[in-house]
Amino acid sequence: MTLSHVGVIGATGNAGPFVINSLLARKDIFTKVTAVTLSTNAEDPKFNDLKSRGVRVVAAKIDDHASIVSAFKGLDAVVAVVGGALFDKQIQLVDAAIEAGVKRFLPAEFGGDDTTPELQKISLLDAKRKVRNYLIEAAKQGKITYSSVWTGPFFDWGLRVGFLEFDLK
Protein backbone atom coordinates (compact mmCIF):
# COMPACT_ATOMS: atom_id res chain seq x y z
CA MET A 1 0.00 0.00 0.00
CA THR A 2 1.42 3.34 -1.05
CA LEU A 3 0.85 6.22 1.35
CA SER A 4 2.52 9.08 -0.49
CA HIS A 5 0.00 11.88 0.21
CA VAL A 6 -0.38 12.49 3.94
CA GLY A 7 -2.70 14.91 5.69
CA VAL A 8 -1.90 16.21 9.17
CA ILE A 9 -4.58 17.59 11.47
CA GLY A 10 -2.99 19.83 14.09
CA ALA A 11 0.08 20.71 12.05
CA THR A 12 0.82 23.89 14.00
CA GLY A 13 0.07 22.58 17.50
CA ASN A 14 2.47 21.16 20.10
CA ALA A 15 3.40 17.94 18.28
CA GLY A 16 2.25 18.72 14.73
CA PRO A 17 5.44 20.47 13.61
CA PHE A 18 7.47 17.36 14.45
CA VAL A 19 5.18 15.24 12.27
CA ILE A 20 5.30 17.76 9.41
CA ASN A 21 9.10 18.05 9.59
CA SER A 22 9.49 14.25 9.57
CA LEU A 23 7.23 13.89 6.53
CA LEU A 24 9.01 16.68 4.66
CA ALA A 25 12.38 15.12 5.46
CA ARG A 26 11.28 12.02 3.51
CA LYS A 27 9.91 13.55 0.31
CA ASP A 28 11.15 10.43 -1.46
CA ILE A 29 8.31 8.56 0.28
CA PHE A 30 5.81 11.27 1.19
CA THR A 31 5.54 13.24 -2.03
CA LYS A 32 2.64 15.44 -0.90
CA VAL A 33 1.88 16.79 2.57
CA THR A 34 -1.34 18.59 3.44
CA ALA A 35 -2.11 20.43 6.66
CA VAL A 36 -5.83 20.24 7.51
CA THR A 37 -6.89 23.02 9.85
CA LEU A 38 -10.08 22.68 11.86
CA SER A 39 -9.80 25.92 13.80
CA THR A 40 -9.10 28.67 11.29
CA ASN A 41 -9.00 29.40 7.60
CA ALA A 42 -6.23 28.21 5.31
CA GLU A 43 -5.11 31.80 4.65
CA ASP A 44 -4.13 32.45 8.27
CA PRO A 45 -0.54 33.78 8.34
CA LYS A 46 0.47 31.04 10.79
CA PHE A 47 0.49 28.67 7.79
CA ASN A 48 2.90 30.79 5.72
CA ASP A 49 5.95 28.79 6.82
CA LEU A 50 4.27 25.51 5.92
CA LYS A 51 3.22 26.83 2.53
CA SER A 52 6.73 28.09 1.82
CA ARG A 53 7.99 24.53 2.36
CA GLY A 54 5.48 23.06 -0.08
CA VAL A 55 2.75 22.01 2.36
CA ARG A 56 -0.77 22.42 1.02
CA VAL A 57 -3.14 23.90 3.61
CA VAL A 58 -6.89 23.25 3.58
CA ALA A 59 -9.58 24.24 6.05
CA ALA A 60 -12.48 22.16 7.32
CA LYS A 61 -15.01 22.59 10.10
CA ILE A 62 -15.07 19.90 12.78
CA ASP A 63 -18.87 19.84 12.89
CA ASP A 64 -19.28 19.89 9.09
CA HIS A 65 -18.84 16.32 7.83
CA ALA A 66 -18.89 17.33 4.15
CA SER A 67 -16.10 19.88 4.64
CA ILE A 68 -13.90 17.27 6.33
CA VAL A 69 -14.59 14.72 3.58
CA SER A 70 -13.68 17.37 1.01
CA ALA A 71 -10.43 18.20 2.85
CA PHE A 72 -9.51 14.49 3.00
CA LYS A 73 -10.20 13.73 -0.69
CA GLY A 74 -7.03 12.52 -2.40
CA LEU A 75 -5.16 11.80 0.84
CA ASP A 76 -3.68 8.34 1.32
CA ALA A 77 -3.25 8.74 5.08
CA VAL A 78 -4.36 11.11 7.82
CA VAL A 79 -2.33 11.75 10.97
CA ALA A 80 -4.36 13.31 13.78
CA VAL A 81 -2.20 15.38 16.11
CA VAL A 82 -5.03 16.96 18.07
CA GLY A 83 -5.20 17.92 21.71
CA GLY A 84 -7.49 16.64 24.44
CA ALA A 85 -10.41 18.87 23.46
CA LEU A 86 -10.69 17.03 20.14
CA PHE A 87 -9.89 13.45 21.21
CA ASP A 88 -13.55 12.45 21.16
CA LYS A 89 -14.10 14.18 17.79
CA GLN A 90 -11.68 11.79 16.10
CA ILE A 91 -14.47 9.31 15.36
CA GLN A 92 -16.01 12.00 13.14
CA LEU A 93 -12.63 12.36 11.46
CA VAL A 94 -12.37 8.58 10.95
CA ASP A 95 -15.85 8.50 9.36
CA ALA A 96 -14.90 11.35 7.03
CA ALA A 97 -11.63 9.62 6.15
CA ILE A 98 -13.49 6.42 5.26
CA GLU A 99 -15.94 8.33 3.08
CA ALA A 100 -13.10 10.23 1.37
CA GLY A 101 -11.27 6.99 0.55
CA VAL A 102 -8.32 7.50 2.90
CA LYS A 103 -6.37 4.26 3.28
CA ARG A 104 -4.82 4.73 6.74
CA PHE A 105 -5.65 6.77 9.83
CA LEU A 106 -3.26 7.48 12.69
CA PRO A 107 -5.20 8.75 15.71
CA ALA A 108 -3.75 11.13 18.29
CA GLU A 109 -2.34 8.54 20.69
CA PHE A 110 1.23 9.68 20.92
CA GLY A 111 1.64 9.43 24.69
CA GLY A 112 1.97 6.24 26.67
CA ASP A 113 0.57 2.77 26.08
CA ASP A 114 -2.91 3.27 27.50
CA THR A 115 -3.68 -0.44 27.45
CA THR A 116 -1.63 -0.91 30.63
CA PRO A 117 -3.62 -1.19 33.89
CA GLU A 118 -1.95 1.93 35.30
CA LEU A 119 -2.91 4.15 32.38
CA GLN A 120 -6.41 2.70 32.10
CA LYS A 121 -7.17 4.60 35.31
CA ILE A 122 -6.63 7.96 33.58
CA SER A 123 -10.02 9.11 32.32
CA LEU A 124 -8.46 11.57 29.82
CA LEU A 125 -7.34 8.50 27.87
CA ASP A 126 -10.86 7.00 27.64
CA ALA A 127 -11.55 8.92 24.43
CA LYS A 128 -8.31 7.65 22.91
CA ARG A 129 -9.29 4.05 23.67
CA LYS A 130 -12.76 4.64 22.23
CA VAL A 131 -11.27 5.95 18.96
CA ARG A 132 -8.82 3.06 18.73
CA ASN A 133 -11.61 0.52 19.31
CA TYR A 134 -13.66 2.24 16.61
CA LEU A 135 -10.72 1.97 14.22
CA ILE A 136 -10.19 -1.69 15.10
CA GLU A 137 -13.80 -2.44 14.12
CA ALA A 138 -13.61 -0.36 10.93
CA ALA A 139 -10.41 -2.18 9.97
CA LYS A 140 -12.04 -5.58 10.60
CA GLN A 141 -14.76 -4.53 8.15
CA GLY A 142 -12.13 -3.54 5.56
CA LYS A 143 -13.11 0.15 5.62
CA ILE A 144 -9.70 1.58 6.58
CA THR A 145 -6.37 0.60 8.09
CA TYR A 146 -4.84 2.31 11.09
CA SER A 147 -1.62 2.67 13.04
CA SER A 148 -1.23 3.49 16.71
CA VAL A 149 1.96 5.29 17.64
CA TRP A 150 2.98 5.37 21.29
CA THR A 151 6.01 7.54 21.86
CA GLY A 152 5.91 7.58 25.63
CA PRO A 153 5.17 10.68 27.68
CA PHE A 154 6.11 14.06 26.22
CA PHE A 155 8.34 14.83 29.17
CA ASP A 156 10.10 17.86 27.70
CA TRP A 157 6.82 19.38 26.51
CA GLY A 158 5.22 18.66 29.90
CA LEU A 159 7.99 20.54 31.66
CA ARG A 160 7.84 23.47 29.23
CA VAL A 161 4.08 24.04 29.51
CA GLY A 162 3.70 23.13 33.18
CA PHE A 163 1.65 19.99 32.53
CA LEU A 164 3.80 18.01 34.97
CA GLU A 165 3.29 20.68 37.66
CA PHE A 166 6.99 21.44 38.01
CA ASP A 167 8.14 25.05 38.24
CA LEU A 168 11.69 25.15 36.93
CA LYS A 169 12.14 28.85 37.67
Side-chain angles (χ1 to χ4, degrees):
M1 173 186 324
T2 302
L3 303 173
S4 60
H5 189 179
V6 180
V8 180
I9 305 165
T12 60
N14 288 314
F18 297 102
V19 173
I20 291 284
N21 291 339
S22 296
L23 293 168
L24 292 175
R26 293 302 312 262
K27 286 186 178 181
D28 57 317
I29 298 171
F30 307 109
T31 58
K32 294 180 187 175
V33 178
T34 296
V36 179
T37 176
L38 300 174
S39 61
T40 187
N41 70 58
E43 300 309 314
D44 189 308
K46 74 179 180 180
F47 296 114
N48 288 347
D49 176 59
L50 292 176
K51 290 176 183 178
S52 73
R53 295 189 295 150
V55 176
R56 180 176 150 246
V57 179
V58 297
K61 294 186 170 133
I62 188 64
D63 293 319
D64 181 349
H65 180 77
S67 76
I68 299 170
V69 171
S70 177
F72 287 176
K73 286 278 185 189
L75 299 177
D76 298 315
V78 171
V79 181
V81 193
V82 297
L86 292 178
F87 285 163
D88 63 339
K89 300 280 188 175
Q90 289 184 94
I91 288 176
Q92 292 169 243
L93 299 175
V94 171
D95 287 339
I98 290 168
E99 187 173 328
V102 171
K103 299 172 190 169
R104 179 160 304 216
F105 192 93
L106 288 82
E109 298 194 301
F110 300 99
D113 175 0
D114 64 13
T115 64
T116 63
E118 296 82 11
L119 290 181
Q120 286 183 359
K121 297 174 187 173
I122 300 174
S123 61
L124 171 66
L125 302 178
D126 290 346
K128 289 183 177 188
R129 285 186 287 274
K130 183 177 176 184
V131 171
R132 186 175 49 256
N133 290 335
Y134 191 80
L135 279 164
I136 288 168
E137 289 306 311
K140 284 180 184 176
Q141 296 170 23
K143 295 179 178 179
I144 198 165
T145 62
Y146 72 96
S147 295
S148 293
V149 179
W150 294 325
T151 60
F154 295 145
F155 188 73
D156 53 344
W157 170 82
L159 286 174
R160 189 174 69 248
V161 301
F163 185 74
L164 300 176
E165 299 181 14
F166 287 103
D167 183 358
L168 300 177
K169 295 178 185 175

